[in-house]
Amino acid sequence: MKLKFHRSSVWKAVTMPALLSIAMSGAQTGWAQSADEQPLAGKNVQSEEKAVQPTTLPAVEVSTGAIVKSTEGYVARKSFSATRTDTLLRDVPQSITVVTQDTMRDQNVQSITDVIRYVPGIVPSQGEGNRDAVIIRGSGTTTGDFYVDGLRDDVQYYRDLYNIDRVEVLKGSNGMIFGRGGSGGVINRVTKEAGWKPVREIRAEFGSYSHKRVAADLNQPINEMISARINGLYENSNSFRDYVDLERWGINPTLTFMPTEKTRIVLSGEYFYDRRTADRGIPSFGTVNGVVNSGRAINTGRSTFFGNPDDSTARVDAASFNSLIEHTFNDRITIRNRTRYADYDKFYQNVYANGVATAEDATGTVRLSAYNDTTRRENIFNQTDLLFRLDTWGISHEFMTGVEYGRQVTDNLRNTGFFNNGPTSLNVSVLNPVSFTPLTYRHQAADADNHSVVEAVAVYAQDQITIIPQVKAVLGIRYDNFDTTVRNNNTGQKIHSNDGLISPRVGLIYKPIEPVSIYGNYSLAYVPRAGDQLTSLTLSNETLRPEKFRNLEFGAKWDIRPDLALTAALFQLDRSNVIATDPNDAARSILVDGQRVRGAEIGVTGKITSSWSVMGGYAYTDAEIRKNVTGAQKGATVAQVPAHTFSLWNRYDFTSYLGVGLGVIHRGSIYAAVDNTVLLPSFTRIDAALFAQPFKNLRVQVNVENLANIDYAASAHNNNNILPGAPRIFRLTAALNF
């Protein structure tokens, strides 16, 4: 393949080695580089089908044989976010799973829960029916696990993937790179970026339970220096759950400027709107005395709604502006600045089961409770990195150093629901658990009413050292000054904390042969309390004390072929001062002094043959509480962590225009809460797909989830908020390129 470059009269001629140097240093230097384009396309690249016409001298042809693309098919070859440098995955001493755009398309991925289905070592949590929630290697945080283009995206809401190029799941503590957060791991979404390859695609979906969704992706070079892209989405769907529906839409325009071959400027904005029913699922079953003894979810239809659907709603309006400014001085020095400003308006209100069912027949009752919660947050993050390479006495160094500033201002208000303007709870029959009893919401002394300001300043440095070709090291250290001020508007109490946090990272890689790496990694990370994490805790210096994560990992990576990768890892993660959901009061949290997680993972991605693509893996996780606390005993299993998970997605193409997909997901049994009284059974689910391309510009696919129509519990928040898994679901997708 050859790329054509045109020499404009406004630029000086450059030599062939200089062009190749720019290509290699700029090829994947940002989180937001799209996989469907070469970075060299930022300047004068002519697509084979739709070219940008030159205005001056004839084209110069440059071979791209040496360029390594970030992703191709199901395989990701490089990661930027793990080290903030352009690094091959096998040279990163950490477990990383990259879900590529091709993978997301084939699996019909639309949410965070969807995207992690085939990622070993991570499982979804319920998120109380109003937000994304995940558990990575036995650890979960309410908001600290989510990033976009390497910057925090930390309000509780459901994220869509309409404008996402790929999703990177980094497992293990990541404090040196991500600062606060990055405990058991992080999920980083890489947004699509405007480039010089025209894209014109419209996707329309229809499916079970009135699923309707349309998305557009339009990218157009304006001239040799400017390109524009816009992604848009609209969805209006119901659910297999009674009374549950959603409506959401989003728009994300992006501009890329390249005033010179060495400078790239990317500007983007997004507005995202989401309205849905807040669905907390079903309760567990207890004796008539209210003591849980059967340890299981109530035996009811998986579509049965508990509470008042008319009064259960979740909405978010999220607006953001993002910028990237990057300049490459030469093939050894690059400077990069990223800025993200985001404004979030989040509200949810729910009437839900807040107690066990006393019986499963006509004599049984269950207690309902209600509250609402409003969060307004304004974030600004600025991150500047300097990257430079040098050689000393035969040893190669790739340095990355930088500074980061973040400020978050959050207002949070919670109100309690009163039934008929009287009691705060209502008993209903388990056979008819939907109640439209009138509700009023009033603020109580125990309800959160907080104003918090968080300022974080960080400095960091990292050196990736090639000692000899077979031995590499990654050494890094980060210092965060984390300043939090929280005012309790109920009492006027003001609490201030200032934490100086040091997060080191030491990784060593041995490569017996070039495609194989064996590594060890030690890291330390902290998660200070802020924002949403304070909504269900009583304010005190103890609750503001950061969580601490100490991670040790050994592993191996083998690129069997350029298009097939195998990974394996052993790990231990110690966590202290942990937040856990109160087993029997979903509105409150408790502090668990410590937990330890040990485990092993095996992952595979790529092509078994030229026609057979796979993604999946196996994970064993042993997660336990290490000290007796209220609601949990020493030795108890950490909530919602299965000992065994297995998943494998397959796509097989019979011809260039016809293929099939088959996926298997197995999750072992899990406890719904840290008291280990309610056990959700293991399950094995099968997914399938059919792919066809009847015309050059039209792709059609049918996805079937839960092909065997099994009954299972998909996730939980505590003992009485358990979400049933969906029955067999069909979705038809047509993608038109023009």
Side-chain angles (χ1 to χ4, degrees), residues 346-661:
K346 165 73 187 293
F347 173 83
Y348 74 94
Q349 179 171 285
N350 42 203
V351 185
Y352 62 100
N354 195 24
V356 297
T358 59
E360 295 179 314
D361 57 21
T363 66
T365 61
V366 63
R367 182 177 72 249
L368 302 182
S369 296
Y371 69 90
N372 62 32
D373 188 286
T374 303
T375 298
R376 288 298 309 270
R377 175 171 297 167
E378 189 174 28
N379 285 355
I380 185 164
F381 295 101
N382 183 272
Q383 186 183 90
T384 301
D385 297 332
L386 176 66
L387 295 83
F388 56 97
R389 301 185 180 96
L390 58 86
D391 298 320
T392 57
W393 301 289
I395 298 176
S396 297
H397 299 264
E398 187 171 1
F399 287 101
M400 185 277 295
T401 185
V403 296
E404 183 174 329
Y405 172 78
R407 177 181 170 87
Q408 299 177 282
V409 180
T410 304
D411 287 285
N412 176 258
L413 175 66
R414 180 171 296 206
N415 295 305
T416 299
F418 294 83
F419 294 87
N420 275 326
N421 208 26
T424 58
S425 65
L426 177 72
N427 290 329
V428 296
S429 168
V430 298
L431 299 184
N432 185 24
V434 175
S435 171
F436 295 99
T437 301
L439 278 151
T440 55
Y441 293 87
R442 298 195 301 273
H443 188 73
Q444 302 295 102
D447 293 331
D449 184 3
N450 299 326
H451 173 80
S452 64
V453 178
V454 175
E455 286 193 286
V457 180
V459 293
Y460 44 84
Q462 174 185 267
D463 188 7
Q464 293 174 260
I465 309 169
T466 302
I467 302 170
I468 58 175
Q470 293 80 24
V471 179
K472 297 176 180 287
V474 179
L475 307 177
I477 190 165
R478 178 184 180 115
Y479 173 79
D480 285 272
N481 183 271
F482 192 82
D483 190 274
T484 304
T485 300
V486 184
R487 184 180 70 241
N488 184 335
N489 293 325
N490 292 327
T491 63
Q493 175 194 23
K494 180 181 288 188
I495 295 179
H496 174 261
S497 68
N498 186 278
D499 296 298
L501 308 174
I502 298 177
S503 302
R505 174 183 186 173
V506 179
L508 188 64
I509 303 164
Y510 171 63
K511 304 179 73 171
I513 57 176
E514 184 58 29
V516 175
S517 65
I518 301 169
Y519 68 88
N521 185 66
Y522 168 84
S523 60
L524 193 64
Y526 296 87
V527 180
R529 310 279 194 242
D532 303 318
Q533 293 175 321
L534 299 176
T535 61
S536 56
L537 285 171
T538 301
L539 291 180
S540 67
N541 289 326
E542 181 184 10
T543 59
L544 287 176
R545 185 164 57 91
E547 294 184 59
K548 183 178 180 180
F549 299 81
R550 191 183 305 272
N551 186 72
L552 187 64
E553 179 176 331
F554 298 95
K557 301 179 182 182
W558 179 18
D559 289 346
I560 302 171
R561 295 192 307 268
D563 59 356
L564 181 63
L566 183 68
T567 63
L570 301 172
F571 63 89
Q572 177 175 298
L573 178 63
D574 289 306
R575 181 181 185 186
S576 59
N577 202 37
V578 183
I579 285 181
T581 302
D582 190 305
N584 297 299
D585 186 352
R588 304 297 170 198
S589 295
I590 59 175
L591 288 176
V592 180
D593 189 61
Q595 69 180 53
R596 168 169 285 179
V597 184
R598 291 174 171 171
E601 296 170 1
I602 298 175
V604 62
T605 55
K607 285 183 174 290
I608 304 296
T609 69
S610 60
S611 301
W612 181 12
S613 298
V614 298
M615 176 198 173
Y618 166 80
Y620 167 76
T621 310
D622 178 18
E624 68 172 5
I625 304 297
R626 305 195 69 196
K627 184 178 179 180
N628 292 338
V629 295
T630 303
Q633 300 297 312
K634 180 179 179 180
T637 299
V638 176
Q640 302 165 53
V641 180
H644 303 278
T645 60
F646 171 80
S647 60
L648 186 64
W649 170 264
N650 304 263
R651 171 171 174 160
Y652 189 85
D653 293 306
F654 298 104
T655 68
S656 60
Y657 54 85
L658 183 63
V660 296

Side-chain angles (χ1 to χ4, degrees), residues 191 263 304 403 658:
T191 56
T263 303
T304 304
V403 296
L658 183 63

Side-chain angles (χ1 to χ4, degrees), residues 274-317:
D274 190 295
R275 302 290 186 270
R276 64 179 66 220
T277 306
D279 179 15
R280 299 282 286 264
I282 65 176
S284 62
F285 174 59
T287 68
V288 294
N289 294 321
V291 178
V292 177
N293 71 341
S294 58
R296 59 177 173 81
I298 188 173
N299 184 23
T300 186
R302 55 188 162 193
S303 63
T304 304
F305 190 93
F306 281 72
N308 183 339
D310 290 350
D311 244 28
S312 299
T313 184
R315 64 167 176 82
V316 69
D317 294 272

Side-chain angles (χ1 to χ4, degrees), residues 41-113:
K43 205 67 178 172
N44 305 330
V45 176
Q46 185 170 10
S47 166
E48 294 179 1
E49 294 182 1
K50 297 185 179 181
V52 178
Q53 296 300 322
T55 58
T56 54
L57 299 178
V60 176
E61 294 187 350
V62 180
S63 172
T64 62
I67 296 175
V68 180
K69 293 177 65 177
S70 174
T71 63
E72 186 169 328
Y74 287 6
V75 172
R77 296 188 176 91
K78 293 191 171 190
S79 170
F80 179 84
S81 57
T83 59
R84 291 196 191 162
T85 61
D86 190 28
T87 305
L88 292 171
L89 279 177
R90 66 173 179 264
D91 291 342
V92 177
Q94 180 179 359
S95 294
I96 302 172
T97 300
V98 180
V99 186
T100 67
Q101 193 170 130
D102 287 349
T103 309
M104 291 190 289
R105 179 196 64 203
D106 288 353
Q107 295 176 5
N108 194 237
V109 164
Q110 298 171 5
S111 67
I112 295 296
T113 297

Side-chain angles (χ1 to χ4, degrees), residues 30 70 169 256 265 318 321 356 372 394 451-452 477 522 538 546 562-563 663 665 680 690 698 703 715 727:
S70 174
V169 182
T256 299
I265 302 171
F321 171 80
V356 297
N372 62 32
H451 173 80
S452 64
I477 190 165
Y522 168 84
T538 301
D563 59 356
I665 301 171
L680 308 183
L690 176 66
L698 178 64
N703 290 80
S715 60

